Amino acid sequence: MTRPDTGAATTGTTRPPRLSTLDRFLPVWIGLAMAAGLLLGRWIPGLQGALDAVKAGGISVPIAIGLLVMMYPVLAKVRYDRLDSVTRDRRLLVSSLAINWLVGPAVMFALAWILLPDLPEFRTGLIIVGLARCIAMVIIWNDLACGDREAAAVLVALNSVFQVLAFGLLGWFYLDLLPGWLGLDQSGIDVSAWEIAAMVAVFLGLPLVAGYLTRTLGERARGRAWYEDRFLPRIGPLALYGLLFTIVMLFALQGEAITSNPLDVARIALPLLTYFVLMWGLSMLLGRGIRLSYERSTTLAFTAAGNNFELAIAVAVGVFGVTSGQALAGVVGPLIEVPVLVGLVYVSLWARRFFVGPSPVAPAPDRA
C-alpha cells in the first residue's frame, strides 16, 4: 500500500499530505470487499462451512494468509534502527498502555451495558471486542494517516505482550466478576493464554520478523536508497490486496447472519461507532495535551481506537459457537470499524494543522 506523500509537513508549516490515488479510494475498495464477502457467504452453499473448516491450530488459514500479506509490506517499511527513540518516550508508552488496557475495556463495557441492556449475548460479544486490543490493521490506518511507523511497531508489540498476559484476567473481570456485581446474567469466558499467544505469533510475529529481515538484508545488500526508492514501492500495494482479501473472507464467514438480521446489526453498530470515535478523539486530545507530535499522537489514537477483531471472533466462536450472538457481535466489529477508522484517517490529516513541530524527545522521522 502506498504511503501518502508527506513532503515537509512534519514542520507543521506546509500543506497537509495527500493520499495517493490508490489510497484515496480505499473506502470504495473496502465497501466492495464487504459486499463481495456478504454476497459470497449468503449465496454460495457451504462456503461458510468450508472456510471455517480450513484451520491450522484453530486459526482460519484464509484469514491468516490475508493478514500476513497485509502486514508484511507495512512492517518492511519500519526503520528499526529508530525504535530506541520511541521506547525513550515514556509519555507515549504509559499513555498507550493506560488507554488500551484500563480505559478501552471499561468504555466498551459501559457502552455495551448502557446501549444493549436487553441483549446479553450481543453485550458479551462487544465486551470481548473491547478486550481484544488491536495488533493488526492499526498499522494500516496509522500508515495512511502519516503516523509514526516505529512508534506503531513498538505499541503493537506491547499490546501483543499484554494481550497474552491480560486477556484472560480482564475477561474474568468483565465477564464474570463485574457483571455479578451489577446483576447481569453473563456466561464466563475460558480461553487459553497459549491459544492467544499462537494467534499473536501468526498475525504479528511472522510478518514482523519477515519485515525486519527484509529491511536488514536488503539495505545490507543493495543500500537504503535502493530499498526505499525501488523495493518498497513494489511491495507496497500488497498491503491493500491483503486487507481486501481478509475482509472478503471474514465477511463471507457470517454473511447470512449479517444480512438476515439487519436490526440486530444496527443495535450492535451503535455502541461500536460510539466507541471508535470516542477512543480516537480522547487519545488524540491526550496526545496534544501531553505535547506529543502529530505523528505520535496519531499513532496513540489509532492504537487506542482499533481492536483485534480476529482474536475477538476466534474467542467468541470458540467459547459460544459460530452461530451465537457473541460471534455475530464480533463479526459486526470490523463492519463498523473499517469504514469508521478510514474516515478518521482523513480527520487525522485535517487535524494535523493543530500540531506544531516534532516531539521534543526525538527528531521527526525521515519520510524520504
Side-chain angles (χ1 to χ4, degrees):
M1 180 179 298
T2 54
R3 185 180 177 85
D5 177 20
T6 60
T10 53
T11 63
T13 60
T14 59
R15 62 177 176 83
R18 295 182 58 191
L19 293 175
S20 68
T21 301
L22 185 65
D23 293 328
R24 191 157 54 246
F25 293 98
L26 181 60
V28 176
W29 314 139
I30 290 176
L32 292 175
M34 289 178 178
L38 292 174
L39 293 176
L40 288 174
R42 177 80 175 186
W43 291 345
I44 299 181
L47 177 62
Q48 297 177 35
L51 291 176
D52 192 50
V54 184
K55 292 182 178 180
I59 302 173
S60 172
V61 172
I63 291 178
I65 291 174
L67 287 170
L68 291 174
V69 174
M70 176 187 75
M71 294 282 287
Y72 165 68
V74 179
L75 291 171
K77 296 177 182 179
V78 173
R79 286 284 299 273
Y80 293 94
D81 56 331
R82 286 181 170 156
L83 293 183
D84 60 337
S85 70
V86 179
T87 57
R88 290 198 304 266
D89 193 342
R90 294 186 178 180
R91 294 170 304 164
L92 176 64
L93 296 183
V94 172
S95 298
S96 178
L97 291 176
I99 290 174
N100 274 285
W101 297 102
L102 295 178
V103 178
V107 168
M108 185 66 89
F109 180 89
L111 290 172
W113 169 237
I114 292 171
L115 298 177
L116 299 175
D118 58 329
L119 298 172
E121 287 191 356
F122 295 157
R123 188 170 60 235
T124 299
L126 289 182
I127 292 171
I128 294 174
V129 171
L131 297 177
R133 312 312 299 167
C134 194
I135 64 169
M137 286 190 178
V138 65
I139 296 180
I140 298 289
W141 317 135
N142 177 77
D143 210 49
L144 285 173
C146 298
D148 190 316
R149 287 178 186 147
E150 290 70 37
V154 171
L155 296 184
V156 163
L158 284 176
N159 277 340
S160 302
V161 174
F162 272 76
Q163 197 115 261
V164 175
L165 299 176
F167 191 95
L169 179 61
L170 290 175
W172 166 76
F173 178 77
Y174 282 105
L175 295 174
D176 277 334
L177 186 60
L178 191 56
W181 291 347
L182 299 178
L184 302 178
D185 181 18
Q186 292 206 36
S187 301
I189 183 171
D190 181 18
V191 58
S192 168
W194 293 108
E195 292 176 343
I196 298 175
M199 295 177 190
V200 171
V202 171
F203 294 145
L204 176 66
L206 291 179
L208 183 62
V209 171
Y212 173 78
L213 292 177
T214 300
R215 177 173 277 278
T216 301
L217 298 178
E219 289 188 356
R220 185 178 302 171
R222 303 292 295 272
R224 178 166 295 169
W226 172 85
Y227 183 84
E228 297 192 346
D229 296 339
R230 302 288 297 277
F231 180 74
L232 289 182
R234 292 178 180 176
I235 68 169
L238 291 176
L240 176 58
Y241 305 149
L243 171 63
L244 297 179
F245 176 80
T246 300
I247 291 173
V248 171
M249 293 297 98
L250 192 63
F251 279 68
L253 285 173
Q254 284 216 17
E256 183 175 357
I258 293 175
T259 56
S260 300
N261 302 281
L263 181 59
D264 289 346
V265 172
R267 290 287 306 274
I268 298 170
L270 181 58
L272 284 168
L273 175 62
T274 305
Y275 172 85
F276 295 135
V277 174
L278 185 62
M279 290 295 293
W280 180 90
L282 291 176
S283 302
M284 202 71 167
L285 290 174
L286 175 62
R288 190 176 187 278
I290 63 176
R291 298 179 60 196
L292 293 178
S293 66
Y294 164 80
E295 290 79 10
R296 293 191 175 179
S297 295
T298 297
T299 300
L300 178 66
F302 280 102
T303 52
N307 287 83
N308 183 6
F309 57 79
E310 302 88 5
L311 176 61
I313 292 171
V315 170
V317 170
V319 176
F320 301 102
V322 69
T323 60
S324 65
Q326 291 88 344
L328 178 60
V331 172
V332 174
L335 176 65
I336 306 303
E337 177 178 348
V338 170
V340 170
L341 292 190
V342 168
L344 290 175
V345 166
Y346 292 90
V347 177
S348 296
L349 295 174
W350 171 82
R352 188 178 185 136
R353 67 194 68 188
F354 300 108
F355 293 80
V356 179
S359 175
V361 300
D366 179 12
R367 301 296 186 183

